[in-house]
Amino acid sequence: MSYKLRCSVVGHEKDVRSLSSSHFPEGSFVSGSRDVTARLWTPNEQDLGFTEGLCMGGHSGYVTSVCVIPPDDNYPQGLIMTGSQDNMIFAYQLESPEPVFRLTGHEDTVCALAAGKFGTLLSGSWDKTAKVWLNQKCVMTLEGHKAAVWAVAMVPEGGFMLTGSADKSICLWRAGKCELRFLGHTDCVRGLAVLSATEFISCSNDATVRRWSMSGPCTHTYHGHTNFVYSLAILANGQDFVSTSEDRTLRVWRDGECEQTITHPTQSVWSVCCLSNGDIVTGSSDGVIRVFSCEEDRMADSDLQKTYEDQVASSGIPSQVGDLKKEDLPGPDVLLQPGKKDGQTIMVLEEGKVVAHQWNSKEFRWVQVGEVVGASGTTAATSGKTLYEGKEYDYVFTVDIEEGKPPLKLPYNLLEDPWLAAQNFLHRHELNQTFLDQVANFIVENTKSAQICQVPQSGFQDPFTGGTRYVPGSQPGTAGGVSRGGADPFTGQGRYVPPTTRTQQSTNLGGGPDKESSKANQYFPKFSYLSFDQANVEAILGKLKAFNKTLDGSVQEEESALNDLQPLILGESPSTKQIQLLQKLLQWPIDKVFPVLDILRLAMRSKAVNEYFCCENNGKDFLIHLMNISRPDSPVANQMLSLRVLANTFKSSAGEKLMAAAQIEIIASSLVCKDSATKNIHISLSTLLLNYAIYLYHHGNMEYKSQCLSAAAEVSKVVTDPEANFRLLICIGTLVWGDNGCKTLAKSLGILQYVKNQASVSDPPKVTECAQLLAKVLY
């Protein structure tokens, strides 16, 4: 079924430049506008409309970009992020219209935002850079584009990020390095959307949408739009998408073809997003947000549909084909012939007027989309938005300063103070200050008639024009400082409570080098996983038998059967029967199961046992059960032994795969153990993090490395045991080794001070030496 109007949402006073679906309340979305506000819109229960749930202020320039960071333990309803012409990024919670914190660092308009995992934020700016933010700090600046970065996107796997620029290129980044540059667009790249871990799409001022493989090639070019394409959004199936354009349309693309074209009664359709229920939301230059649905019960009634169609038909369309010769145009009879494809537009001479009609393939009819009221030139001229050095301006004047020398370009937006724009022009071209009043008055004189109108009579209007502009001589707005509040997103609620038990020493960590390590640095990076191997077989079996005697007969085992578990403890090849017995014993009461966990810890070193518990069929249930029997109200021994089981799970490929897939949940739930005063808990937790660091060293992923590094930073604040500190230092060293992005993140998390403190410890020497080496790496 085709999409039809659901409702029009009125509230913004000027262009709606950006949209993003929101997690809370369900079915809601966020909009950013030239009216210097962002707003949250929530669905009405009584009708098909939306109500303004929150109006967010604080910016001193128009809001050019919005996105929503998913919920975490610090912000259970997520965060609304806004980027602005004032070069700032603000963060809002649903409870307040005032920002909870601000991010500063960009030197020009923040025109693109994208949210990643673990609270990561990616921003793009006219200052030609993109920045990665975590924990309210910039952890990476991506430099390499030669013009404004108009579009950004986060790839769900592999730690990759995408940026699109006015330099016509798209860059694929990993760990702060440009891994690949995509070329093909012939004009400014305006939007990006990720289809999967292997594909993405882009849109451009060249009026095309392109589909790309992450490995480089452009696999398809979508033609249909007739002007700048501004925005993209992915439909629910993850492969089809929608796009919006300066040609006044929203287009729905399925299976490589334009399936539907929806014309708007306004000039610029700036932005688009898709809601969780499949509805499509657009933001336009008339300040109106429109929602379209393909579900009949969410479509507006026939009267509203007719009103919308009439609005489209009565709107004026500046011509995009140069000077029209009316005598060459067909008459109304041409409308008796069907169109060739959806969205096809023809101009018809009707009673002396030139009227545009668009083919609707779903309804098999021509729809009047407006009267052609003027002519302008090519795509750039048609839009009326002048690009200068990759940025959009209302005007780019050509100024003759001195006879015999080439004229200079003077860019200007109506929101600017003319005197400030004139001053910047003088500085840029090293001109005499005496020209200031002359240049400023030139700007005022040539822009004083500018005003916003829905259907301009001569040319198109730039997105940044409007009735509000600075009074000459006034000062530009300034923004506040950066809030330092907020906790680390990875230290949320967990399930583990620390216990006390005997320390098990791991192999190859007492200061001895890995064979791959250099002589100068024998500590990190660490290449092989650590495990907890030592065991008192008699003590473990003795406790197991003692608990077995106290159990109800229905779960009690024969003592001879328990003796058969000895090969598991010794790491010998077990039989299927022995593995199944171990699995059965894991169902013992929570206060009796810890000796079983101790056997499991040792048994996980066996490939057969590891594969049995970590295979695709058992792995998920295995982890859930492990977390359940080590919850906060369980015996403390369960906590420590569960951590050690997890650490030893890395020893075989099946376990390594399972641990990698569940990293987010495992680290988050394990972190509560850091508050224990027991050194053995700290050693176990530090070892678990170190094993994750070793995995990530071989399978680098910036987002996952960021989670592990942030967890290590939290643990470093509480551990006091030398062995735990030693393992934590090696964990950090392995994560940051050869990764400048991780080094920057480590310093932003305050890890350098922790390392300095450890470098001053006199005993044991291995802690001091390791910390001193790590400090040199971080400096």
Side-chain angles (χ1 to χ4, degrees), residues 490-646:
F490 310 137
T491 58
Q493 297 299 314
R495 296 185 178 86
Y496 297 146
V497 175
T500 307
T501 192
R502 179 184 171 201
T503 301
Q504 304 286 340
Q505 294 298 323
S506 300
T507 61
N508 193 26
L509 194 64
D514 277 346
K515 61 181 179 181
E516 299 91 341
S517 300
S518 68
K519 294 180 180 179
N521 180 357
Q522 60 178 343
Y523 301 109
F524 58 86
K526 187 76 178 164
F527 297 101
S528 55
Y529 297 121
L530 278 66
S531 60
F532 293 90
D533 299 326
Q534 293 185 4
N536 185 326
V537 179
E538 292 183 5
I540 294 173
L541 286 177
K543 180 60 71 175
L544 188 71
K545 294 174 182 178
F547 279 166
N548 183 59
K549 293 178 180 178
T550 66
L551 296 178
D552 182 77
S554 60
V555 294
Q556 195 175 94
E557 296 292 335
E558 293 291 334
E559 188 165 303
S560 59
L562 298 181
N563 287 328
D564 289 340
L565 294 176
Q566 186 164 327
L568 291 172
I569 301 174
L570 298 175
E572 299 172 359
S573 297
S575 65
T576 301
K577 182 179 178 181
Q578 290 167 334
I579 297 175
Q580 290 174 343
L581 175 59
L582 178 60
Q583 184 180 32
K584 181 180 179 181
L585 296 181
L586 284 171
Q587 308 304 316
W588 275 12
I590 200 166
D591 61 334
K592 300 290 193 301
V593 77
F594 76 80
V596 184
L597 287 172
D598 214 6
I599 296 173
L600 178 63
R601 169 200 40 115
L602 297 163
M604 289 303 284
R605 299 171 299 169
S606 162
K607 182 178 179 181
V609 176
N610 199 296
E611 289 179 348
Y612 180 88
F613 284 101
C614 300
C615 68
E616 186 173 346
N617 292 333
N618 297 335
K620 183 177 179 181
D621 291 338
F622 166 67
L623 288 179
I624 291 173
H625 184 65
L626 197 62
M627 291 180 182
N628 184 54
I629 61 180
S630 58
R631 60 181 185 260
D633 60 349
S634 66
V636 290
N638 290 9
Q639 318 294 323
M640 182 193 68
L641 291 169
S642 293
L643 288 173
R644 296 187 173 189
V645 169
L646 292 171

Side-chain angles (χ1 to χ4, degrees), residues 9 287 403 547 748 762 769:
V9 182
E403 189 175 352
F547 279 166
S748 73
S762 58
E769 294 169 3

Side-chain angles (χ1 to χ4, degrees), residues 15 226-228 230 245-249 264 266-270 285 315-322 371-386 392-395 414 450-466:
D15 305 49
T226 59
N227 214 314
F228 295 172
Y230 292 128
S245 167
E246 182 65 26
D247 64 11
R248 309 195 312 155
T249 69
H264 287 52
T266 184
Q267 188 49 60
S268 306
V269 190
W270 293 118
S285 55
S315 59
I317 308 174
S319 169
Q320 300 177 18
V321 295
E371 179 184 349
V372 180
V373 296
S376 53
T378 60
T379 301
T382 302
S383 72
K385 299 157 185 64
T386 305
E392 283 182 344
Y393 292 94
D394 297 326
Y395 301 91
L414 286 176
Q451 58 180 332
I452 281 288
C453 60
Q454 179 175 323
V455 185
Q457 297 303 309
S458 149
F460 286 48
Q461 297 302 312
D462 188 88
F464 308 142
T465 59

Side-chain angles (χ1 to χ4, degrees), residues 22-274:
S22 183
H23 300 278
F24 293 99
E26 185 177 356
S28 62
F29 61 89
V30 179
S31 58
S33 169
R34 258 198 67 256
D35 64 10
V36 199
T37 70
R39 306 187 188 212
L40 173 69
W41 304 92
T42 60
N44 298 335
E45 294 183 1
Q46 69 276 14
D47 58 38
L48 297 176
F50 287 77
T51 299
E52 181 182 299
L54 183 67
C55 181
M56 292 156 278
H59 284 295
S60 59
Y62 44 79
V63 178
T64 54
S65 51
V66 297
C67 78
V68 177
I69 292 180
D72 60 23
D73 292 323
N74 294 317
Y75 301 104
Q77 293 184 319
L79 285 172
I80 297 171
M81 309 299 297
T82 61
S84 170
Q85 183 202 22
D86 61 15
N87 311 347
M88 302 277 285
I89 301 170
F90 286 3
Y92 300 86
Q93 291 182 280
L94 299 185
E95 295 81 9
S96 172
E98 298 300 319
V100 291
F101 61 82
R102 299 170 171 83
L103 303 177
T104 59
H106 280 299
E107 298 176 358
D108 211 328
T109 300
V110 180
C111 53
L113 293 172
K117 298 177 180 178
F118 318 124
T120 307
L121 179 71
L122 177 62
S123 61
S125 169
W126 285 7
D127 64 11
K128 306 179 186 178
T129 73
K131 291 182 181 289
V132 183
W133 308 83
L134 185 65
N135 300 336
Q136 304 179 32
K137 296 176 182 179
C138 178
V139 298
M140 266 189 289
T141 297
L142 310 181
E143 298 178 292
H145 283 295
K146 298 177 181 179
V149 178
W150 274 100
V152 296
M154 304 285 276
V155 182
E157 300 296 335
F160 291 104
M161 304 173 189
L162 290 164
T163 57
S165 170
D167 65 12
K168 308 175 189 178
S169 74
I170 301 165
C171 287
L172 179 69
W173 305 83
R174 187 177 186 181
K177 179 184 177 182
C178 180
E179 298 280 347
L180 192 61
R181 190 178 294 268
F182 303 84
L183 299 175
H185 282 297
T186 58
D187 207 334
C188 174
V189 179
R190 299 297 294 263
L192 293 166
V194 176
L195 295 167
S196 68
T198 58
E199 283 191 306
F200 70 94
I201 52 176
S202 61
C203 63
S204 167
N205 281 2
D206 64 13
T208 70
V209 176
R210 286 175 177 259
R211 190 185 193 110
W212 306 83
S213 165
M214 290 290 180
S215 61
C218 174
T219 58
H220 192 79
T221 301
Y222 302 84
H223 297 279
H225 283 294
T226 59
N227 214 314
F228 295 172
V229 187
Y230 292 128
S231 184
L232 299 165
I234 308 299
L235 294 172
N237 64 7
Q239 288 298 307
D240 299 323
F241 61 92
V242 292
S243 58
T244 59
S245 167
E246 182 65 26
D247 64 11
R248 309 195 312 155
T249 69
L250 160 72
R251 296 183 188 241
V252 182
W253 304 83
R254 294 188 190 276
D255 299 323
E257 300 293 334
C258 179
E259 183 182 74
Q260 185 180 1
T261 302
I262 302 175
T263 303
H264 287 52
T266 184
Q267 188 49 60
S268 306
V269 190
W270 293 118
S271 50
V272 64
C273 73
C274 294

